Amino acid sequence: MKLKGEFCHLRAIEPHDVEHIFKWENDVDNWLVSGTVSPFSRQDLEVYVRRIRDVYADRQLRLMICTEAKPVGAIDLFDFDPTHLRAGVGVLIGETGERRKGIAGDALGLLTRYAFDVLHLQQLYANIPENNIASIALFEQLGFQIAGSRKKWLKTSNGWLDEHMYQLFNNKE
C-alpha cells in the first residue's frame, strides 16, 4: 500500500525530523489539542525518535506528513489496541502556511486506509474540542460521526470546553 495521496505522502519519522517536531510540539497554540502542558526538549525528542519500534510494540504510530517540498505536519495513531482493533487518531499541520490546502484531509484518508487495510482495525476515534471547527469539519468530511461529548472536559484560559468524540468504523469488517 502506498502512503501517497493527492497533496501529500506519509513516511516514518527520521532523526532529521526532530527540529520540525520540536517546533510543533513546543508551539503553545497546539497544546490544547495535543494534551501537552509543558515543553519538550530536543534531547527528549531525539530519544523518542531513536526508540520508535512499531505500532504493536509502542502502541502508537507517528508518521510525518510531507509535501514534495518538506515535512509540514504529523499524523498519529495512539492508544492502539490490537485486542479490540481500535486506535485514536490525531493530525497536525504544524506549518501554519500549509493549512487549509487539503493536506490534512489527504493525510487522514491515507492513515484511515492504512489502519483499516493493513492493521485491520475495526474503528478509529478522535477527541476534538468543541471550538476546533476546522478539525470537526475535517473528520466529518471523512465520515467520522459524533459518538458523544464530555461536558466541560478541557480547561482553558477562557473557561471550560466540551470535547466531542468522533468514531469511524471499518465497513469491511
Side-chain angles (χ1 to χ4, degrees), residues 24-25 27 29-37 40 62 92:
W24 302 333
E25 291 287 356
D27 182 342
D29 291 336
N30 297 330
W31 286 7
L32 180 65
V33 295
S34 68
T36 302
V37 294
F40 287 90
R62 176 172 283 188
L92 172 70

Side-chain angles (χ1 to χ4, degrees), residues 1-169:
M1 168 180 207
K2 288 188 177 184
L3 294 175
K4 182 166 177 50
E6 183 179 354
F7 302 111
C8 70
H9 66 275
L10 306 181
R11 64 163 172 78
I13 294 177
E14 299 287 344
H16 62 269
D17 293 321
V18 167
E19 285 305 312
H20 295 289
I21 298 167
F22 178 79
K23 178 178 130 182
W24 302 333
E25 291 287 356
N26 289 315
D27 182 342
V28 296
D29 291 336
N30 297 330
W31 286 7
L32 180 65
V33 295
S34 68
T36 302
V37 294
S38 62
F40 287 90
S41 71
R42 275 187 185 80
Q43 181 178 354
D44 287 342
L45 293 171
E46 288 168 358
V47 168
Y48 165 73
V49 169
R50 280 195 309 272
R51 289 191 177 161
I52 294 172
R53 294 168 295 174
D54 68 48
V55 68
Y56 289 95
D58 297 334
R59 299 292 195 247
Q60 66 178 0
L61 174 69
R62 176 172 283 188
L63 298 171
M64 298 300 288
I65 302 169
C66 301
T67 62
E68 294 300 322
K70 63 182 179 181
V72 297
I75 191 161
D76 304 320
L77 288 178
F78 60 90
D79 291 341
F80 176 74
D81 187 333
T83 301
H84 299 290
L85 301 175
R86 65 178 173 239
V89 63
V91 60
L92 172 70
I93 303 301
E95 298 300 324
T96 55
E98 299 298 320
R99 293 180 181 165
R100 301 196 189 285
K101 294 182 176 181
I103 298 169
D106 203 22
L108 185 56
L110 292 168
L111 185 71
T112 298
R113 285 192 297 283
Y114 173 80
F116 290 164
D117 296 345
V118 176
L119 299 177
H120 305 289
L121 297 184
Q122 169 59 23
Q123 66 175 290
L124 296 173
Y125 70 88
N127 299 314
I128 306 172
E130 66 180 324
N131 67 342
N132 192 337
I133 305 305
S135 284
I136 289 171
L138 169 69
F139 280 86
E140 287 180 351
Q141 178 184 4
L142 279 123
F144 283 74
Q145 295 181 343
I146 194 163
S149 296
R150 297 174 177 147
K151 303 300 180 193
K152 295 185 178 182
W153 195 254
L154 302 169
K155 184 164 184 357
T156 72
S157 58
N158 296 324
W160 291 92
L161 291 173
D162 294 353
E163 180 180 77
H164 302 309
M165 180 184 182
Y166 281 81
Q167 289 177 287
L168 179 68
F169 291 93

